[in-house]
Amino acid sequence: MMSRYNAWQNKGLRKIVEAMDDDALREDRGAFFGSIFATLNHLLWGDQLWMSRFDGGDAPTVGIPESTAYKANAVDWALARFQTDARITTWADGLHSVDLVGDLSWYSGAMQRDMVKSKQECIVHFFNHQTHHRGQVHAMLTAAGQKPTDTDIPFMPDT
């Protein structure tokens, strides 16, 4: 459900971002990462990083300090966002209960140390991280005069 929710929400964001002026996307709006585009870039970067830990696939080649400039423009971001959402959904659709048992180990560049946490905790964090930063983007878009789509899970389309 959360992977479908993520894809649904990002589809709405892609439509808005593709229609917005680049200066408006990059304007510092006082959020943690400053702009709409920087926040969206960080979120994409984080999703790809966590997915590399979950599915063993490719990870971003830059670290967290560069995450806000991960993609150079809205077109590149939108394509990578679409592809990443498909990756997340494919991974989530293939999960079985047994896949959620045990620990996940990785080296955290942000913490500069090896980490070990339960897979369940990491997956909850993954989806919570998305929701947190999309909430920031939603607020910035609303303040910029845009109208993001509904965010209530019960109103999510079935497809």
Side-chain angles (χ1 to χ4, degrees):
M1 177 181 69
M2 292 306 294
S3 67
R4 286 188 304 108
Y5 178 74
N6 172 67
W8 173 51
Q9 289 299 297
N10 287 331
K11 180 179 180 181
L13 292 177
R14 283 195 324 271
K15 288 179 182 179
I16 293 171
V17 166
E18 290 171 342
M20 281 183 76
D21 176 78
D22 189 60
D23 289 338
L25 287 171
R26 294 175 190 274
E27 181 181 329
D28 189 336
R29 298 180 184 276
F32 186 81
F33 292 110
S35 72
I36 294 166
F37 195 61
T39 304
L40 290 170
N41 259 327
H42 170 77
L43 179 51
L44 173 64
W45 173 88
D47 283 354
Q48 290 181 356
L49 182 65
W50 278 104
M51 282 307 302
S52 73
R53 295 169 181 163
F54 297 148
D55 70 5
D58 292 338
T61 57
V62 300
I64 196 168
E66 298 84 24
S67 68
T68 58
Y70 187 47
K71 297 298 175 183
N73 59 62
V75 172
D76 291 347
W77 172 84
L79 175 61
R81 182 72 268 173
F82 177 78
Q83 292 169 333
T84 302
D85 291 343
R87 178 182 178 184
I88 293 167
T89 302
T90 299
W91 165 78
D93 286 349
L95 286 177
H96 301 282
S97 295
V98 70
D99 298 324
L100 305 175
V101 176
D103 290 334
L104 183 67
S105 302
W106 74 97
Y107 179 80
S108 170
M111 300 299 291
Q112 295 293 299
R113 63 181 171 96
D114 291 323
M115 302 288 294
V116 178
K117 297 287 181 181
S118 76
K119 290 178 184 178
Q120 292 178 7
E121 180 180 346
C122 292
I123 292 168
V124 168
H125 165 75
F126 173 63
F127 288 115
N128 188 61
H129 183 258
Q130 294 170 345
T131 302
H132 167 72
H133 286 306
R134 269 197 312 268
Q136 292 173 322
V137 170
H138 191 283
M140 288 186 281
L141 286 171
T142 301
Q146 300 296 319
K147 185 164 176 38
T149 57
D150 193 3
T151 61
D152 296 327
I153 290 174
F155 304 133
M156 179 172 57
D158 291 333
T159 58

